[in-house]
Amino acid sequence: MSMGDIVWLFFIFSAVQPMLRQQMLEAMRIRKISQLERERKSRVILLVHRQETMRFLGFPIARYIDINDSEDVLRAIQMTDADVPLDLVLHTPGGLVLAALQIAKAVREHKGKVTVFVPHYAMSGGTLIALAADEIVMCEHSVLGPIDPQLGESPAASLVKVIAEKPMAKIDDRTLIMADVGRKAIAQVKEAATELLTRRLPAEKAGALADKLTSGTWTHDYPIWASVGKSLGLPVSTDMPADVFQLLKLYPQPVRMQGGGGVEYLPVERRLPGGSRVDSSGWNSAR
């Protein structure tokens, strides 16, 4: 074999390797989802958004809940018998209110039990979906977030506050228009959240909680921990199955072309069970 043939084989292998790796990853996902469905006798649906990076230019591309996501989730629910439980794994910063509401409404109207798993975070639209569930399973450090509408870079509640506190003569037309849209957006999301929450809460409590989550009480990135969620009256549990963590690992952050991420560690367990210790190699050994 000539040097030229070796070079060609190298380039072919380099081109094919990412595709093979992706196919293997997808096969592992299918097996894990199938395993979880068999164990829980449910339909498992994942809504996972990772920040992606363009291969050559390196610009970050943020992923959000969009109409394509709602179409896919609705199709999965439609393919599921009404009495079959739904398990939704959410890992998302949020997204379009319309798309999130479509998913949330379908979740609320499903007859079987609906469980939402939040292994890390489900903010904004992700939280809106979680409000429709019968049970929200979180970890000690995973978070939900407020669902107050955002208009571009401005919180709707803040735009409304500007109109209330600033002299009308000093407010430009665009701000007036945005504040009017913001007021409507808050009312619409509050009404939708109230309807979702009445699946488990009395109407008065559902309305009060919806108002707290939509009115700008907190900043949009405020972390609602599991303990806070419980205190608000949400059906939060902290009994997170290990299989959910393992499944989320099969949706890795895309690798950057130059350099790595900001976090690096050896992906092996480090445990100290009774009667053993971790030696210098990282493995458990008898005392």
Side-chain angles (χ1 to χ4, degrees), residues 47 49 64-74 77 88 92 94-107 124-126 128-129 196:
L47 186 57
H49 293 128
Y64 299 100
I65 301 172
D66 60 20
I67 295 300
N68 293 324
D69 291 325
S70 62
E71 181 180 348
D72 289 339
V73 174
L74 293 181
I77 295 176
L88 275 70
T92 178
L96 294 179
V97 172
L98 171 60
L101 274 178
Q102 283 185 298
I103 297 172
K105 183 173 176 61
V107 165
S124 192
L128 194 59
I129 295 170
L196 296 175

Side-chain angles (χ1 to χ4, degrees), residues 221-234:
D221 61 350
Y222 177 80
I224 298 177
W225 312 99
S227 58
V228 177
K230 288 180 181 180
S231 69
L232 291 174
L234 295 177

Side-chain angles (χ1 to χ4, degrees), residues 35-279:
Q35 175 192 336
L36 194 57
E37 287 188 338
R38 288 195 305 270
E39 292 175 353
R40 295 182 57 83
K41 295 180 174 57
S42 67
R43 162 75 75 180
V44 174
I45 305 172
L46 288 96
L47 186 57
V48 177
H49 293 128
R50 296 288 196 184
Q51 179 174 287
E52 298 179 358
T53 305
M54 293 179 64
R55 180 169 292 272
F56 294 110
L57 300 181
F59 295 131
I61 303 175
R63 294 284 315 282
Y64 299 100
I65 301 172
D66 60 20
I67 295 300
N68 293 324
D69 291 325
S70 62
E71 181 180 348
D72 289 339
V73 174
L74 293 181
R75 184 179 297 112
I77 295 176
Q78 289 164 0
M79 294 171 61
T80 307
D81 284 344
D83 292 322
V84 174
L86 291 179
D87 289 332
L88 275 70
V89 180
L90 299 182
H91 180 83
T92 178
L96 294 179
V97 172
L98 171 60
L101 274 178
Q102 283 185 298
I103 297 172
K105 183 173 176 61
V107 165
R108 186 184 186 279
E109 294 178 352
H110 187 72
K111 186 178 178 181
K113 181 182 178 180
V114 180
T115 304
V116 163
F117 295 95
V118 185
H120 185 53
Y121 77 135
M123 305 296 284
S124 192
T127 299
L128 194 59
I129 295 170
L131 296 182
D134 295 295
E135 183 180 21
I136 306 171
V137 181
M138 302 174 65
C139 302
E140 182 182 357
H141 301 296
S142 57
V143 296
L144 302 174
I147 56 174
D148 55 309
Q150 307 293 296
L151 303 181
E153 297 180 355
S154 302
S158 296
L159 288 167
V160 172
K161 187 175 182 180
V162 167
I163 300 302
E165 297 185 356
K166 192 173 182 179
M168 190 65 65
K170 295 184 178 181
I171 304 174
D172 61 88
D173 290 347
R174 175 173 173 75
T175 302
L176 288 171
I177 293 171
M178 293 292 286
D180 180 58
V181 174
R183 187 181 297 109
K184 295 173 183 175
I186 293 171
Q188 290 167 187
V189 176
K190 179 183 175 182
E191 180 182 5
T194 300
E195 182 182 355
L196 296 175
L197 288 165
T198 53
R199 178 166 180 167
R200 291 190 57 85
L201 294 175
E204 185 177 347
K205 290 185 177 180
L209 179 53
D211 181 69
K212 192 176 188 68
L213 293 171
T214 60
S215 61
T217 302
W218 303 296
T219 59
H220 197 58
D221 61 350
Y222 177 80
I224 298 177
W225 312 99
S227 58
V228 177
K230 288 180 181 180
S231 69
L232 291 174
L234 295 177
V236 173
S237 164
T238 52
D239 188 18
M240 180 69 70
D243 284 339
V244 173
F245 285 120
Q246 294 169 6
L247 184 54
L248 192 62
K249 287 181 180 179
L250 299 178
Y251 293 82
Q253 178 73 27
V255 179
R256 297 174 182 269
M257 286 298 293
Q258 294 182 348
V263 178
E264 189 169 0
Y265 61 95
L266 298 180
V268 294
E269 297 285 344
R270 293 287 185 262
R271 305 295 185 188
L272 282 170
S276 65
R277 62 183 177 83
V278 177
D279 61 25

